[in-house]
mmCIF file of all heavy atoms in Angstrom:
data_model
loop_
_atom_site.group_PDB
_atom_site.id
_atom_site.type_symbol
_atom_site.label_atom_id
_atom_site.label_comp_id
_atom_site.label_asym_id
_atom_site.label_seq_id
_atom_site.Cartn_x
_atom_site.Cartn_y
_atom_site.Cartn_z
ATOM 1 N N HIS A 930 -2.003 4.906 10.145
ATOM 2 C CA HIS A 930 -0.786 4.197 9.607
ATOM 3 C C HIS A 930 -0.329 4.886 8.301
ATOM 4 O O HIS A 930 0.257 4.226 7.417
ATOM 5 C CB HIS A 930 -1.108 2.749 9.357
ATOM 6 C CG HIS A 930 -1.396 2.040 10.652
ATOM 7 N ND1 HIS A 930 -2.657 1.928 11.192
ATOM 8 C CD2 HIS A 930 -0.595 1.321 11.497
ATOM 9 C CE1 HIS A 930 -2.616 1.264 12.300
ATOM 10 N NE2 HIS A 930 -1.408 0.891 12.522
ATOM 11 N N ILE A 931 -0.623 6.134 8.103
ATOM 12 C CA ILE A 931 -0.321 6.831 6.847
ATOM 13 C C ILE A 931 1.198 6.805 6.540
ATOM 14 O O ILE A 931 1.570 6.729 5.356
ATOM 15 C CB ILE A 931 -0.851 8.255 6.846
ATOM 16 C CG1 ILE A 931 -0.965 8.787 5.397
ATOM 17 C CG2 ILE A 931 -0.017 9.211 7.734
ATOM 18 C CD1 ILE A 931 -1.912 8.060 4.568
ATOM 19 N N ASN A 932 2.034 6.736 7.520
ATOM 20 C CA ASN A 932 3.491 6.667 7.238
ATOM 21 C C ASN A 932 3.872 5.356 6.545
ATOM 22 O O ASN A 932 4.936 5.301 5.902
ATOM 23 C CB ASN A 932 4.305 6.846 8.548
ATOM 24 C CG ASN A 932 4.278 8.264 9.010
ATOM 25 O OD1 ASN A 932 4.050 9.201 8.213
ATOM 26 N ND2 ASN A 932 4.447 8.459 10.343
ATOM 27 N N CYS A 933 3.048 4.336 6.683
ATOM 28 C CA CYS A 933 3.357 3.027 6.016
ATOM 29 C C CYS A 933 3.154 3.203 4.462
ATOM 30 O O CYS A 933 3.619 2.408 3.771
ATOM 31 C CB CYS A 933 2.418 1.981 6.548
ATOM 32 S SG CYS A 933 2.660 1.558 8.301
ATOM 33 N N PHE A 934 2.458 4.283 4.114
ATOM 34 C CA PHE A 934 2.286 4.508 2.646
ATOM 35 C C PHE A 934 3.156 5.686 2.167
ATOM 36 O O PHE A 934 3.472 5.782 0.971
ATOM 37 C CB PHE A 934 0.791 4.824 2.342
ATOM 38 C CG PHE A 934 -0.076 3.668 2.620
ATOM 39 C CD1 PHE A 934 -0.778 3.519 3.831
ATOM 40 C CD2 PHE A 934 -0.220 2.656 1.724
ATOM 41 C CE1 PHE A 934 -1.545 2.433 4.104
ATOM 42 C CE2 PHE A 934 -1.057 1.520 1.962
ATOM 43 C CZ PHE A 934 -1.745 1.433 3.185
ATOM 44 N N GLN A 935 3.511 6.628 3.031
ATOM 45 C CA GLN A 935 4.271 7.808 2.687
ATOM 46 C C GLN A 935 5.756 7.757 2.869
ATOM 47 O O GLN A 935 6.453 8.461 2.177
ATOM 48 C CB GLN A 935 3.717 8.990 3.486
ATOM 49 C CG GLN A 935 2.430 9.558 3.020
ATOM 50 C CD GLN A 935 2.050 10.832 3.726
ATOM 51 O OE1 GLN A 935 2.006 10.918 4.971
ATOM 52 N NE2 GLN A 935 1.829 11.922 2.960
ATOM 53 N N GLY A 936 6.183 6.957 3.775
ATOM 54 C CA GLY A 936 7.607 6.961 4.190
ATOM 55 C C GLY A 936 8.517 6.411 3.052
ATOM 56 O O GLY A 936 8.146 5.458 2.343
ATOM 57 N N GLU A 937 9.696 6.977 2.984
ATOM 58 C CA GLU A 937 10.674 6.426 2.052
ATOM 59 C C GLU A 937 11.001 5.070 2.464
ATOM 60 O O GLU A 937 11.197 4.710 3.617
ATOM 61 C CB GLU A 937 11.942 7.266 2.036
ATOM 62 C CG GLU A 937 11.920 8.326 0.976
ATOM 63 C CD GLU A 937 13.259 9.019 0.854
ATOM 64 O OE1 GLU A 937 14.267 8.297 0.508
ATOM 65 O OE2 GLU A 937 13.296 10.150 1.000
ATOM 66 N N GLY A 938 11.066 4.109 1.488
ATOM 67 C CA GLY A 938 11.385 2.721 1.798
ATOM 68 C C GLY A 938 10.184 1.939 2.295
ATOM 69 O O GLY A 938 10.337 0.757 2.687
ATOM 70 N N SER A 939 9.023 2.593 2.269
ATOM 71 C CA SER A 939 7.813 1.903 2.781
ATOM 72 C C SER A 939 7.164 0.966 1.804
ATOM 73 O O SER A 939 6.270 0.194 2.174
ATOM 74 C CB SER A 939 6.814 2.954 3.217
ATOM 75 O OG SER A 939 6.309 3.698 2.131
ATOM 76 N N HIS A 940 7.520 1.116 0.504
ATOM 77 C CA HIS A 940 6.859 0.350 -0.553
ATOM 78 C C HIS A 940 5.382 0.715 -0.583
ATOM 79 O O HIS A 940 4.510 -0.120 -0.859
ATOM 80 C CB HIS A 940 6.961 -1.217 -0.365
ATOM 81 C CG HIS A 940 8.363 -1.693 -0.199
ATOM 82 N ND1 HIS A 940 9.263 -1.645 -1.166
ATOM 83 C CD2 HIS A 940 9.039 -2.212 0.823
ATOM 84 C CE1 HIS A 940 10.428 -2.163 -0.753
ATOM 85 N NE2 HIS A 940 10.299 -2.489 0.510
ATOM 86 N N GLY A 941 5.072 1.986 -0.332
ATOM 87 C CA GLY A 941 3.676 2.435 -0.203
ATOM 88 C C GLY A 941 2.773 2.130 -1.407
ATOM 89 O O GLY A 941 1.661 1.752 -1.259
ATOM 90 N N VAL A 942 3.332 2.279 -2.564
ATOM 91 C CA VAL A 942 2.519 2.101 -3.776
ATOM 92 C C VAL A 942 2.236 0.579 -3.937
ATOM 93 O O VAL A 942 1.079 0.230 -4.316
ATOM 94 C CB VAL A 942 3.148 2.693 -5.048
ATOM 95 C CG1 VAL A 942 2.348 2.316 -6.283
ATOM 96 C CG2 VAL A 942 3.249 4.202 -4.915
ATOM 97 N N ILE A 943 3.201 -0.249 -3.701
ATOM 98 C CA ILE A 943 2.991 -1.720 -3.754
ATOM 99 C C ILE A 943 1.961 -2.145 -2.700
ATOM 100 O O ILE A 943 1.060 -2.894 -2.989
ATOM 101 C CB ILE A 943 4.298 -2.509 -3.608
ATOM 102 C CG1 ILE A 943 5.269 -2.172 -4.767
ATOM 103 C CG2 ILE A 943 3.970 -3.982 -3.536
ATOM 104 C CD1 ILE A 943 6.639 -2.805 -4.542
ATOM 105 N N LEU A 944 2.051 -1.610 -1.486
ATOM 106 C CA LEU A 944 1.046 -1.938 -0.438
ATOM 107 C C LEU A 944 -0.326 -1.564 -0.864
ATOM 108 O O LEU A 944 -1.263 -2.328 -0.676
ATOM 109 C CB LEU A 944 1.412 -1.252 0.871
ATOM 110 C CG LEU A 944 2.595 -1.841 1.640
ATOM 111 C CD1 LEU A 944 2.934 -0.972 2.806
ATOM 112 C CD2 LEU A 944 2.368 -3.265 2.029
ATOM 113 N N PHE A 945 -0.420 -0.399 -1.489
ATOM 114 C CA PHE A 945 -1.765 0.071 -1.950
ATOM 115 C C PHE A 945 -2.278 -0.863 -3.065
ATOM 116 O O PHE A 945 -3.459 -1.229 -3.104
ATOM 117 C CB PHE A 945 -1.686 1.532 -2.380
ATOM 118 C CG PHE A 945 -3.049 1.997 -2.822
ATOM 119 C CD1 PHE A 945 -4.096 2.126 -1.987
ATOM 120 C CD2 PHE A 945 -3.197 2.429 -4.147
ATOM 121 C CE1 PHE A 945 -5.349 2.559 -2.443
ATOM 122 C CE2 PHE A 945 -4.424 2.866 -4.614
ATOM 123 C CZ PHE A 945 -5.489 2.951 -3.733
ATOM 124 N N LEU A 946 -1.378 -1.301 -4.011
ATOM 125 C CA LEU A 946 -1.793 -2.102 -5.067
ATOM 126 C C LEU A 946 -2.276 -3.487 -4.491
ATOM 127 O O LEU A 946 -3.327 -3.982 -4.901
ATOM 128 C CB LEU A 946 -0.574 -2.376 -6.043
ATOM 129 C CG LEU A 946 -0.873 -3.312 -7.189
ATOM 130 C CD1 LEU A 946 -2.031 -2.836 -8.094
ATOM 131 C CD2 LEU A 946 0.384 -3.554 -8.022
ATOM 132 N N TYR A 947 -1.550 -4.053 -3.529
ATOM 133 C CA TYR A 947 -1.973 -5.289 -2.860
ATOM 134 C C TYR A 947 -3.341 -5.080 -2.223
ATOM 135 O O TYR A 947 -4.262 -5.890 -2.269
ATOM 136 C CB TYR A 947 -0.996 -5.763 -1.842
ATOM 137 C CG TYR A 947 0.092 -6.690 -2.373
ATOM 138 C CD1 TYR A 947 1.452 -6.230 -2.369
ATOM 139 C CD2 TYR A 947 -0.176 -7.952 -2.845
ATOM 140 C CE1 TYR A 947 2.442 -7.095 -2.875
ATOM 141 C CE2 TYR A 947 0.804 -8.769 -3.353
ATOM 142 C CZ TYR A 947 2.174 -8.324 -3.308
ATOM 143 O OH TYR A 947 3.123 -9.177 -3.750
ATOM 144 N N SER A 948 -3.492 -3.948 -1.524
ATOM 145 C CA SER A 948 -4.768 -3.567 -0.849
ATOM 146 C C SER A 948 -5.902 -3.580 -1.856
ATOM 147 O O SER A 948 -7.046 -4.059 -1.565
ATOM 148 C CB SER A 948 -4.638 -2.257 -0.097
ATOM 149 O OG SER A 948 -3.666 -2.323 0.850
ATOM 150 N N LEU A 949 -5.663 -2.977 -2.980
ATOM 151 C CA LEU A 949 -6.691 -2.907 -4.043
ATOM 152 C C LEU A 949 -7.091 -4.338 -4.505
ATOM 153 O O LEU A 949 -8.280 -4.622 -4.620
ATOM 154 C CB LEU A 949 -6.203 -2.138 -5.258
ATOM 155 C CG LEU A 949 -6.292 -0.628 -5.242
ATOM 156 C CD1 LEU A 949 -5.545 -0.073 -6.439
ATOM 157 C CD2 LEU A 949 -7.690 -0.221 -5.181
ATOM 158 N N LEU A 950 -6.082 -5.133 -4.745
ATOM 159 C CA LEU A 950 -6.427 -6.525 -5.187
ATOM 160 C C LEU A 950 -7.160 -7.319 -4.166
ATOM 161 O O LEU A 950 -8.149 -8.001 -4.458
ATOM 162 C CB LEU A 950 -5.113 -7.244 -5.539
ATOM 163 C CG LEU A 950 -4.330 -6.720 -6.787
ATOM 164 C CD1 LEU A 950 -2.961 -7.344 -6.855
ATOM 165 C CD2 LEU A 950 -5.145 -6.907 -8.042
ATOM 166 N N PHE A 951 -6.789 -7.203 -2.874
ATOM 167 C CA PHE A 951 -7.482 -7.931 -1.833
ATOM 168 C C PHE A 951 -8.875 -7.339 -1.533
ATOM 169 O O PHE A 951 -9.809 -8.064 -1.169
ATOM 170 C CB PHE A 951 -6.630 -8.045 -0.607
ATOM 171 C CG PHE A 951 -5.523 -9.091 -0.672
ATOM 172 C CD1 PHE A 951 -4.186 -8.712 -0.725
ATOM 173 C CD2 PHE A 951 -5.853 -10.424 -0.711
ATOM 174 C CE1 PHE A 951 -3.193 -9.624 -0.831
ATOM 175 C CE2 PHE A 951 -4.874 -11.328 -0.801
ATOM 176 C CZ PHE A 951 -3.508 -11.009 -0.806
ATOM 177 N N SER A 952 -8.998 -6.046 -1.706
ATOM 178 C CA SER A 952 -10.351 -5.437 -1.535
ATOM 179 C C SER A 952 -11.305 -5.866 -2.595
ATOM 180 O O SER A 952 -12.473 -6.097 -2.371
ATOM 181 C CB SER A 952 -10.197 -3.903 -1.558
ATOM 182 O OG SER A 952 -9.547 -3.440 -0.414
ATOM 183 N N ARG A 953 -10.758 -5.994 -3.813
ATOM 184 C CA ARG A 953 -11.620 -6.390 -4.946
ATOM 185 C C ARG A 953 -12.041 -7.844 -4.880
ATOM 186 O O ARG A 953 -13.078 -8.206 -5.397
ATOM 187 C CB ARG A 953 -10.877 -6.116 -6.202
ATOM 188 C CG ARG A 953 -11.592 -6.329 -7.511
ATOM 189 C CD ARG A 953 -12.692 -5.385 -7.685
ATOM 190 N NE ARG A 953 -13.361 -5.673 -8.955
ATOM 191 C CZ ARG A 953 -14.533 -5.245 -9.285
ATOM 192 N NH1 ARG A 953 -15.168 -4.375 -8.469
ATOM 193 N NH2 ARG A 953 -15.111 -5.531 -10.401
#
């Protein structure tokens, strides 16, 4: 699902930030 983080308009950095918070 790498395009969910790389694609324009994907909000990839926000998704990763949420992922970090939920992982922690």
Side-chain angles (χ1 to χ4, degrees):
H930 296 88
I931 198 65
N932 288 335
C933 295
F934 296 96
Q935 283 187 303
E937 266 190 62
S939 67
H940 305 292
V942 175
I943 295 173
L944 285 175
F945 181 63
L946 178 61
Y947 272 116
S948 298
L949 278 171
L950 293 171
F951 283 111
S952 292
R953 183 70 179 165

